[in-house]
Short mmCIF file of all heavy atoms in Angstrom, two decimals:
data_model
loop_
_atom_site.label_atom_id
_atom_site.label_comp_id
_atom_site.label_asym_id
_atom_site.label_seq_id
_atom_site.Cartn_x
_atom_site.Cartn_y
_atom_site.Cartn_z
N TYR A 1 181.76 135.68 135.15
CA TYR A 1 182.04 136.63 134.06
C TYR A 1 180.80 137.41 133.68
O TYR A 1 180.96 138.59 133.29
CB TYR A 1 182.52 135.81 132.80
CG TYR A 1 183.99 135.32 132.94
CD1 TYR A 1 184.29 134.05 133.38
CD2 TYR A 1 185.07 136.17 132.58
CE1 TYR A 1 185.58 133.59 133.50
CE2 TYR A 1 186.35 135.76 132.68
CZ TYR A 1 186.63 134.43 133.11
OH TYR A 1 187.91 134.04 133.20
N GLU A 2 179.69 136.80 133.74
CA GLU A 2 178.44 137.52 133.39
C GLU A 2 178.24 138.78 134.26
O GLU A 2 177.94 139.87 133.81
CB GLU A 2 177.25 136.58 133.50
CG GLU A 2 175.93 137.19 133.08
CD GLU A 2 174.71 136.20 133.16
OE1 GLU A 2 175.06 134.97 133.24
OE2 GLU A 2 173.60 136.62 133.12
N THR A 3 178.42 138.56 135.59
CA THR A 3 178.33 139.70 136.45
C THR A 3 179.37 140.77 136.23
O THR A 3 179.11 141.93 136.25
CB THR A 3 178.37 139.27 137.94
OG1 THR A 3 177.37 138.30 138.16
CG2 THR A 3 178.19 140.40 138.91
N LEU A 4 180.59 140.28 135.96
CA LEU A 4 181.73 141.22 135.66
C LEU A 4 181.36 142.06 134.43
O LEU A 4 181.71 143.29 134.37
CB LEU A 4 183.01 140.47 135.44
CG LEU A 4 184.29 141.23 135.29
CD1 LEU A 4 184.42 142.33 136.46
CD2 LEU A 4 185.51 140.34 135.27
N THR A 5 180.76 141.46 133.41
CA THR A 5 180.41 142.25 132.23
C THR A 5 179.43 143.35 132.56
O THR A 5 179.41 144.44 132.01
CB THR A 5 179.85 141.32 131.10
OG1 THR A 5 178.61 140.71 131.49
CG2 THR A 5 180.88 140.28 130.63
N GLU A 6 178.45 143.03 133.40
CA GLU A 6 177.48 144.05 133.82
C GLU A 6 178.12 145.22 134.52
O GLU A 6 177.86 146.40 134.28
CB GLU A 6 176.44 143.43 134.79
CG GLU A 6 175.54 142.41 134.11
CD GLU A 6 174.73 141.65 135.13
OE1 GLU A 6 174.70 142.02 136.30
OE2 GLU A 6 173.99 140.72 134.76
N ILE A 7 179.14 144.94 135.41
CA ILE A 7 179.90 145.95 136.09
C ILE A 7 180.68 146.80 135.13
O ILE A 7 180.76 148.01 135.19
CB ILE A 7 180.80 145.35 137.19
CG1 ILE A 7 179.98 144.65 138.32
CG2 ILE A 7 181.71 146.42 137.82
CD1 ILE A 7 180.74 143.81 139.24
N ILE A 8 181.32 146.12 134.13
CA ILE A 8 182.06 146.85 133.14
C ILE A 8 181.20 147.82 132.33
O ILE A 8 181.62 148.97 132.06
CB ILE A 8 182.83 145.80 132.19
CG1 ILE A 8 183.96 145.12 133.02
CG2 ILE A 8 183.35 146.52 130.98
CD1 ILE A 8 184.55 143.92 132.26
N ARG A 9 180.00 147.30 131.95
CA ARG A 9 179.16 148.19 131.11
C ARG A 9 178.80 149.47 131.85
O ARG A 9 178.56 150.53 131.25
CB ARG A 9 177.91 147.43 130.74
CG ARG A 9 178.16 146.33 129.71
CD ARG A 9 176.85 145.93 129.01
NE ARG A 9 175.91 145.37 129.92
CZ ARG A 9 175.87 144.07 130.22
NH1 ARG A 9 176.69 143.19 129.71
NH2 ARG A 9 174.91 143.58 131.06
N HIS A 10 178.63 149.41 133.17
CA HIS A 10 178.18 150.59 133.94
C HIS A 10 179.20 151.43 134.59
O HIS A 10 179.02 152.60 134.80
CB HIS A 10 177.19 150.07 134.99
CG HIS A 10 175.88 149.55 134.50
ND1 HIS A 10 175.62 148.23 134.29
CD2 HIS A 10 174.74 150.20 134.04
CE1 HIS A 10 174.47 148.02 133.75
NE2 HIS A 10 173.86 149.18 133.60
N ARG A 11 180.45 150.83 134.84
CA ARG A 11 181.36 151.51 135.68
C ARG A 11 182.74 151.65 135.16
O ARG A 11 183.60 152.45 135.68
CB ARG A 11 181.46 150.87 137.07
CG ARG A 11 180.14 150.81 137.81
CD ARG A 11 180.32 150.34 139.24
NE ARG A 11 181.18 151.28 139.99
CZ ARG A 11 181.89 150.93 141.03
NH1 ARG A 11 181.81 149.75 141.57
NH2 ARG A 11 182.69 151.84 141.66
N PHE A 12 183.05 150.99 134.06
CA PHE A 12 184.45 151.03 133.52
C PHE A 12 184.61 152.03 132.41
O PHE A 12 183.65 152.42 131.68
CB PHE A 12 184.82 149.67 132.90
CG PHE A 12 185.36 148.68 133.91
CD1 PHE A 12 184.59 148.31 134.99
CD2 PHE A 12 186.59 148.11 133.75
CE1 PHE A 12 185.10 147.48 135.97
CE2 PHE A 12 187.12 147.23 134.70
CZ PHE A 12 186.38 146.89 135.81
N THR A 13 185.82 152.53 132.27
CA THR A 13 186.20 153.37 131.12
C THR A 13 186.19 152.41 129.86
O THR A 13 186.52 151.27 130.00
CB THR A 13 187.59 153.99 131.30
OG1 THR A 13 188.57 152.97 131.48
CG2 THR A 13 187.57 154.98 132.43
N GLU A 14 185.87 152.95 128.76
CA GLU A 14 185.90 152.19 127.47
C GLU A 14 185.27 150.77 127.62
O GLU A 14 185.91 149.84 127.39
CB GLU A 14 187.31 152.06 126.94
CG GLU A 14 188.05 153.39 126.65
CD GLU A 14 189.35 153.17 126.02
OE1 GLU A 14 190.27 152.60 126.72
OE2 GLU A 14 189.53 153.55 124.86
N PRO A 15 183.96 150.76 127.97
CA PRO A 15 183.35 149.45 128.22
C PRO A 15 183.36 148.51 127.05
O PRO A 15 183.60 147.29 127.22
CB PRO A 15 181.94 149.82 128.68
CG PRO A 15 181.73 151.25 128.18
CD PRO A 15 183.03 151.89 128.22
N THR A 16 183.11 149.01 125.84
CA THR A 16 183.06 148.10 124.67
C THR A 16 184.40 147.44 124.46
O THR A 16 184.53 146.24 124.20
CB THR A 16 182.61 148.88 123.42
OG1 THR A 16 181.32 149.47 123.65
CG2 THR A 16 182.46 147.98 122.27
N VAL A 17 185.45 148.22 124.44
CA VAL A 17 186.83 147.74 124.27
C VAL A 17 187.18 146.77 125.40
O VAL A 17 187.78 145.70 125.14
CB VAL A 17 187.84 148.85 124.16
CG1 VAL A 17 189.26 148.34 124.16
CG2 VAL A 17 187.58 149.74 123.00
N THR A 18 186.80 147.14 126.60
CA THR A 18 187.08 146.29 127.79
C THR A 18 186.41 144.97 127.71
O THR A 18 186.97 143.87 127.99
CB THR A 18 186.74 147.02 129.08
OG1 THR A 18 187.47 148.22 129.08
CG2 THR A 18 187.11 146.19 130.30
N LEU A 19 185.11 144.95 127.30
CA LEU A 19 184.39 143.70 127.17
C LEU A 19 184.96 142.76 126.13
O LEU A 19 185.03 141.53 126.42
CB LEU A 19 182.91 144.00 126.86
CG LEU A 19 182.08 144.63 127.94
CD1 LEU A 19 180.75 145.15 127.40
CD2 LEU A 19 181.83 143.63 129.04
N ARG A 20 185.44 143.31 125.05
CA ARG A 20 186.04 142.48 124.04
C ARG A 20 187.37 141.87 124.60
O ARG A 20 187.68 140.65 124.34
CB ARG A 20 186.34 143.29 122.74
CG ARG A 20 186.93 142.47 121.64
CD ARG A 20 187.14 143.34 120.35
NE ARG A 20 187.63 142.56 119.29
CZ ARG A 20 186.90 141.88 118.44
NH1 ARG A 20 185.59 141.90 118.51
NH2 ARG A 20 187.45 141.19 117.42
N GLU A 21 188.16 142.71 125.25
CA GLU A 21 189.39 142.23 125.90
C GLU A 21 189.15 141.11 126.93
O GLU A 21 189.86 140.07 126.94
CB GLU A 21 190.19 143.36 126.52
CG GLU A 21 191.42 142.94 127.36
CD GLU A 21 192.54 142.40 126.55
OE1 GLU A 21 192.52 142.56 125.30
OE2 GLU A 21 193.47 141.86 127.18
N LEU A 22 188.15 141.30 127.73
CA LEU A 22 187.84 140.27 128.75
C LEU A 22 187.39 139.01 128.07
O LEU A 22 187.69 137.88 128.49
CB LEU A 22 186.73 140.79 129.70
CG LEU A 22 186.27 139.85 130.75
CD1 LEU A 22 187.53 139.59 131.73
CD2 LEU A 22 185.09 140.39 131.58
N PHE A 23 186.59 139.08 126.99
CA PHE A 23 186.20 137.84 126.29
C PHE A 23 187.36 137.16 125.70
O PHE A 23 187.50 135.93 125.78
CB PHE A 23 185.17 138.17 125.15
CG PHE A 23 184.63 136.92 124.43
CD1 PHE A 23 183.65 136.23 125.04
CD2 PHE A 23 185.14 136.57 123.22
CE1 PHE A 23 183.15 135.08 124.39
CE2 PHE A 23 184.64 135.46 122.53
CZ PHE A 23 183.66 134.75 123.14
N ARG A 24 188.31 137.87 125.14
CA ARG A 24 189.56 137.26 124.62
C ARG A 24 190.32 136.62 125.67
O ARG A 24 190.91 135.50 125.54
CB ARG A 24 190.41 138.29 123.94
CG ARG A 24 189.70 138.93 122.72
CD ARG A 24 190.55 140.02 122.04
NE ARG A 24 191.65 139.43 121.30
CZ ARG A 24 192.92 139.79 121.37
NH1 ARG A 24 193.28 140.77 122.21
NH2 ARG A 24 193.82 139.14 120.68
N ARG A 25 190.39 137.18 126.93
CA ARG A 25 191.03 136.55 128.08
C ARG A 25 190.35 135.26 128.44
O ARG A 25 190.97 134.26 128.76
CB ARG A 25 191.12 137.51 129.21
CG ARG A 25 192.01 138.67 128.94
CD ARG A 25 192.10 139.60 130.23
NE ARG A 25 192.78 140.85 129.82
CZ ARG A 25 193.13 141.82 130.70
NH1 ARG A 25 192.89 141.70 132.02
NH2 ARG A 25 193.75 142.91 130.31
#
């Protein structure tokens, strides 16, 4: 998950919202 969060921060749309959703999952 740690690596996935790094990828999300750099390459995903809406990284902040996505990180919160991933933590909830």
Side-chain angles (χ1 to χ4, degrees):
Y1 282 96
E2 184 177 345
T3 303
L4 185 52
T5 63
E6 294 171 5
I7 295 170
I8 289 171
R9 288 199 297 271
H10 291 99
R11 301 192 60 201
F12 274 59
T13 59
E14 300 185 294
T16 303
V17 172
T18 301
L19 288 169
R20 184 179 182 87
E21 171 69 13
L22 183 64
F23 185 77
R24 296 179 73 228
R25 293 182 189 186

